[in-house]
Amino acid sequence: MKKKWIIALILILSYQNTKGEEIVKLFKQAEKNLLLGKKFSFNQEYYDQLNKALKKNRFLNLNSQISYSRIDTKLTHPYSFSSIAISDDIDLFNKTQYDIRINEIQKEKSNVLVKKDKQLLFKNILDLYTSFLMYNELLKLQKEKINWIRKNLRFTQKAISRGIFPSIESSKWESQLIKEEEKLVNYKGNINAIEKNLKTLCGIKEVKLEKVKLPNKLENLQSLKAKVLQNNPDLQLLELDRNILKTTYLKEKNYWLPTLSIFSEYQINKDPTGNGNQYSIGASLNFKVFNNGKKYKLLSIKTKEKTLNILKHQEKIRLIQEINSLYSSISSGLESLSLLKKRCRALKDILDKYEKAYEMKLCDFTILDNYYKEYASAKESYIKTKYRIYFKYQLLKHLSKGDIYR
């Protein structure tokens, strides 16, 4: 019985952790639909195969040579000379280790590039989904506006028929109605386009609307900075490029290490002196004794490494600025959103009271309409502010968590 309670508690906690994370589900669907997992797997396989090739070639790298010569001298009759030779070049001092190390770093770099793809994909999905949620909410508000104008138009037309208002008043409301209906059509078009793009990108049949939840306060800024910088693929790529340069430097510095060559040769000799056919085996060490340009090549690698250090420093500053801007925008946005929410409630309360007063013929029609416009404008600002904060909050949250890279 106790085990059942534990299992139930785990399921509840798991449900609570995933609830309201439709954006993550969409991202995972898109990741699967775009075959990013297979891309990662093929990268691994490609570089593993290159490593195997490098390791195999270290001790077994056979070369063959077949030659034929015709020799004509004044001392003897012309004769032919043929040879068949086989040699094996062996990396006795393991210079191959540097190529293997560079290959390993390239493998890691290719995987980080997949992380970069995931980051861009998440931003794209987040942008589409945020717009999808926002336009659906603006659509409801737009329908409210149209209903309000239609109600006013009906009232105006009745007033005109009684001779209270001039006929021009009807044209004014009709023009305003057309304007708001055009806005409604645009919202529907935006929703339709965004929904199709999300379905295509994620490979799904339906996009669910979730209820947006925003935090009361944010995590400590310094903690967020450290996490984002640690997870950032751009910084990781620059660090890996620097590691490649360091390994290349060691490889070039040890260019003089010799290669062992083992050879076997069979000669078919028609020499009239009678030496006949010969068979020989041997070994040689092949050195690169002096390379006048090697010093400058090593210096160029060190210079390039310094440049990469500067690029990494610049990228780190850029990221910190981006994090600071996101954090500040979310913090101030949450305060602004709270005030906008209070303002919407206050204006709705005033509007409801004026509607009752208007029904009792205690206030002017124009004043009532002005209060509605003020309320609708505040509500639209609230909706747009809410989703602007939602986008930035979700972006900062998942960049720091690093779950989109896994």
Side-chain angles (χ1 to χ4, degrees), residues 17-18 21-38 114-115 117-126 129 198-204 398 401-406:
N17 288 333
T18 57
E21 287 291 317
E22 185 66 22
I23 183 65
V24 176
K25 294 174 187 175
L26 288 171
F27 169 69
K28 293 297 179 185
Q29 288 285 347
E31 186 184 355
K32 185 179 178 182
N33 191 43
L34 292 175
L35 306 176
L36 290 184
K38 285 190 176 181
V114 174
K115 289 183 180 181
D117 289 341
K118 289 181 179 182
Q119 184 190 76
L120 294 172
L121 175 62
F122 179 77
K123 286 181 178 179
N124 189 11
I125 294 286
L126 180 59
Y129 190 60
L198 276 171
K199 286 178 179 178
T200 302
L201 196 55
C202 302
I204 55 176
H398 290 287
K401 280 177 70 176
D403 54 344
I404 58 173
Y405 302 121
R406 291 193 283 271

Side-chain angles (χ1 to χ4, degrees), residues 46-57:
Y46 170 76
Y47 285 103
D48 285 344
Q49 288 167 349
L50 283 182
N51 265 354
K52 285 179 182 177
L54 288 167
K55 289 174 182 177
K56 293 284 184 184
N57 284 342

Side-chain angles (χ1 to χ4, degrees), residues 236-354:
Q236 291 173 8
L237 287 170
L238 288 169
E239 182 61 28
L240 289 170
D241 282 337
R242 193 174 70 163
N243 291 340
I244 288 173
L245 282 176
K246 285 181 177 179
T247 310
T248 304
Y249 181 85
L250 291 173
K251 178 184 174 181
E252 295 294 334
K253 190 177 180 182
N254 291 286
Y255 78 100
W256 57 270
L257 288 173
T259 301
L260 174 66
S261 182
I262 300 173
F263 61 87
S264 173
E265 183 178 7
Y266 181 69
Q267 299 174 354
I268 302 169
N269 193 352
K270 301 296 184 180
D271 185 350
T273 58
N275 289 332
N277 299 341
Q278 297 180 33
Y279 175 73
S280 62
I281 59 172
S284 65
L285 284 175
N286 304 315
F287 291 87
K288 291 182 179 179
V289 179
F290 180 70
N291 186 333
N292 194 35
K294 187 60 66 175
K295 172 185 174 182
Y296 299 101
K297 189 165 186 179
L298 291 170
L299 286 171
S300 71
I301 292 171
K302 284 294 182 183
T303 304
K304 183 66 176 176
E305 188 180 343
K306 290 174 184 177
T307 305
L308 279 177
N309 288 336
I310 292 171
L311 287 174
K312 188 176 178 181
H313 176 68
Q314 290 174 340
E315 181 62 19
K316 190 174 180 180
I317 289 173
R318 187 194 68 78
L319 281 169
I320 290 170
Q321 286 179 315
E322 186 179 335
I323 296 162
N324 287 339
S325 297
L326 281 171
Y327 192 90
S328 177
S329 182
I330 295 166
S331 298
S332 60
L334 287 171
E335 291 180 19
S336 176
L337 192 68
S338 177
L339 294 171
L340 275 170
K341 192 173 184 179
K342 289 178 182 177
R343 186 163 181 262
C344 284
R345 285 176 181 171
L347 286 170
K348 185 66 171 72
D349 185 54
I350 292 169
L351 182 65
D352 290 342
K353 288 175 180 177
Y354 266 94

